[in-house]
């Protein structure tokens, strides 16, 4: 467990890959996963986190074998939701099929409600997470494991301390308080953070792209919903779509309004964006907090964005 709590890691970065964005067929998703792995290696990143979201997007055991074999200089981290029915069975089959697990890790989360069916929504978050971690440590004691903290920071931190896991935080407001809560339980152990990002010199366009492409992600935050209500707006996707249109720049009137200011605050809180120097400085603030593993989700998938992330991580280190 070379990046588990027992050992210290150097400041390093990785890329998150959402398979649901990569096409309708398994073949399409695998081709894009290979592409993503190749660019991550070329950018000097250390990790490639495969985020399946829906059950139908989990890779099959033979596909994980192919991806790991293709990613010789990366640690490939496969995500599993503890509330997905059948996820532990697939996890067991996946890891048993891998001849060499040295370059493999797991990311265990309870799962976003948006990606659960009605039966899974009724499954208890904490109990399924605890059961999943116990199952993994019973069968694969030496594998490196990230544990998602969203919505249950205290529980995740306790599991990290008890089972030698790395807490995986989500970039959000009150980040410093979240880090302090985890530190109270794990001491100086390693921490990871999930960071949606967009790197460019075109600042006005950056904010537009974030609000358009990441509107659903931003609106899932309760504080964002409450803030929009306080301003007199319905906190729904159509509300954002009405003021942030795909091919239209953000209007000066919007940006000067209380709604524009709030949306700008939400975007800057939940994502990292700006030119390379600005992004590098933001990463340095994470480093000062003791967040050593930065997993970036490109808001726009491109080779340039992945390469830029690698460069910013190197400069921040």
């Amino acid at each position: 467990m070379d990046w588990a709590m027992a050992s210290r890691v150097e400041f390093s970065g990785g890329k998150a890959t959402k398979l649901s964005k990569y096409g309708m067929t398994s073949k399409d998703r695998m081709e894009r996963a290979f592409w993503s792995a190749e660019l991550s290696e070329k950018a000097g990143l250390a990790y490639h986190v495969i985020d399946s979201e829906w059950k139908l997007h989990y890779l099959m055991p033979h596909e994980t074998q192919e991806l790991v074999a293709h990613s010789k200089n990366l640690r490939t981290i496969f995500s599993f939701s503890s509330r997905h029915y059948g996820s532990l069975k697939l996890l067991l089959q996946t890891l048993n099929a891998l001849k060499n697990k040295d370059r493999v890790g797991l990311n265990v989360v309870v799962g976003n409600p948006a990606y659960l069916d009605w039966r899974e929504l009724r499954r208890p978050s904490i109990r399924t997470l605890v059961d999943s971690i116990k199952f993994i440590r019973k069968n694969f004691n030496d594998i490196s494991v990230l544990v998602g903290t969203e919505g249950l920071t205290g529980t995740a931190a306790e599991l990290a301390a008890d089972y030698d896991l790395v807490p995986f935080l989500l970039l959000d407001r009150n980040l410093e308080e979240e880090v302090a809560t985890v530190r109270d339980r794990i001491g100086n152990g390693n921490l990871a953070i999930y960071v949606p990002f967009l790197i460019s010199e075109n600042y006005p366009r950056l904010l537009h792209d974030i609000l358009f492409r990441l509107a659903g992600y931003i609106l899932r935050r309760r504080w964002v919903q409450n803030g929009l209500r306080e301003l007199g707006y319905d906190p729904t996707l159509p509300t954002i779509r009405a003021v942030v249109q795909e091919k239209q720049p953000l209007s000066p009137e919007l940006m000067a309004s209380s709604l524009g200011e709030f949306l700008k605050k939400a975007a800057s809180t939940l994502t990292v964006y700006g030119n390379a120097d600005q992004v590098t400085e933001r990463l340095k603030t994470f480093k000062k907090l003791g967040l050593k593993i930065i997993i970036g989700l490109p808001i726009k998938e491109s080779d340039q964005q992945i390469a830029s992330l690698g460069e910013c991580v190197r400069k921040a280190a």
Side-chain angles (χ1 to χ4, degrees):
M1 292 177 284
D2 59 352
W3 47 240
M5 290 201 310
S7 59
R8 304 300 296 159
V9 300
E10 298 298 323
F11 187 80
S12 54
K15 178 191 179 291
T17 289
K18 289 183 175 292
L19 293 179
S20 60
K21 309 292 186 184
Y22 279 12
M24 296 298 294
T25 70
S26 177
K27 180 182 178 182
D28 290 338
R29 291 192 290 272
M30 282 300 294
E31 288 178 352
R32 293 287 287 178
F34 283 172
W35 170 85
S36 184
E38 290 167 3
L39 290 177
S40 296
E41 286 195 58
K42 186 177 180 180
L45 297 171
Y47 311 107
H48 188 199
V49 177
I50 304 299
D51 188 356
S52 300
E53 297 181 323
W54 298 95
K55 280 188 298 188
L56 62 90
H57 294 133
Y58 281 126
L59 296 180
M60 293 294 100
H62 72 278
E63 293 173 323
T64 60
Q65 278 186 298
E66 292 174 13
L67 183 57
V68 171
H70 191 78
S71 311
K72 299 188 182 302
N73 297 309
L74 287 173
R75 180 179 294 278
T76 307
I77 302 171
F78 298 100
S79 300
F80 290 89
S81 168
S82 66
R83 287 193 285 176
H84 276 159
Y85 280 110
S87 62
L88 289 183
K89 179 180 179 181
L90 179 59
L91 183 154
L92 183 64
Q93 294 172 341
T94 296
L95 293 183
N96 280 338
L98 293 171
K99 297 177 181 178
N100 187 343
K101 301 178 182 61
D102 291 342
R103 292 182 288 107
V104 173
L106 298 175
N107 173 36
V108 184
V109 299
V110 296
N112 189 302
Y115 307 117
L116 304 173
D117 65 29
W118 66 269
R119 296 177 307 149
E120 291 163 343
L121 284 169
R122 298 171 63 181
R123 301 188 75 190
S125 299
I126 292 178
R127 193 183 76 191
T128 57
L129 182 64
V130 172
D131 289 346
S132 295
I133 295 302
K134 289 181 176 179
F135 176 87
I136 291 167
R137 281 294 176 244
K138 178 181 178 181
N139 291 279
F140 306 100
N141 190 52
D142 292 333
I143 201 164
S144 298
V145 181
L146 298 172
V147 57
T149 65
E150 184 180 8
L152 31 74
T153 303
T155 298
E158 290 172 3
L159 286 170
D162 292 342
Y163 293 97
D164 201 14
L165 318 174
V166 176
F168 194 12
L169 285 74
L170 189 69
L171 180 60
D172 205 336
R173 68 176 188 171
N174 303 322
L175 178 61
E176 292 187 15
E177 290 86 347
E178 290 280 294
V179 170
T181 297
V182 174
R183 287 283 180 225
D184 284 343
R185 291 166 172 82
I186 72 167
N188 292 322
N190 296 316
L191 296 178
I193 184 169
Y194 181 87
V195 179
F197 73 93
L198 190 54
I199 305 170
S200 173
E201 297 289 339
N202 188 347
Y203 185 83
R205 182 67 190 183
L206 281 173
L207 183 58
H208 172 276
D209 285 347
I210 290 168
L211 293 175
F212 185 81
R213 293 169 181 267
L214 227 61
Y217 178 87
I218 292 172
L219 285 170
R220 286 203 294 268
R221 307 292 167 259
R222 187 163 296 175
W223 65 268
V224 174
Q225 297 172 11
N226 292 338
L228 287 172
R229 289 191 184 98
E230 289 174 5
L231 292 173
Y233 293 93
D234 186 29
T236 61
L237 196 57
T239 297
I240 302 298
R241 289 287 183 260
V243 296
V244 183
Q245 299 178 21
E246 183 174 12
K247 296 183 180 180
Q248 297 294 326
L250 299 175
S251 70
E253 293 77 17
L254 171 64
M255 297 316 300
S257 69
S258 56
L259 174 61
E261 286 296 320
F262 181 78
L263 292 175
K264 181 179 177 181
K265 176 185 176 182
S268 62
T269 299
L270 295 168
T271 71
V272 171
Y273 68 97
N275 61 36
D277 289 339
Q278 292 168 325
V279 170
T280 298
E281 289 304 310
R282 190 82 183 277
L283 297 186
K284 287 179 179 178
T285 66
F286 299 151
K287 183 181 178 182
K288 289 178 181 177
L289 286 174
L291 297 158
K292 293 291 188 70
I293 302 171
I294 310 298
I295 304 299
L297 173 71
I299 295 171
K300 294 179 73 172
E301 286 272 352
S302 73
D303 53 356
Q304 183 270 331
Q305 286 294 307
I306 299 169
S308 295
L309 175 64
E311 183 63 23
C312 290
V313 170
R314 283 192 292 277
K315 290 180 178 179

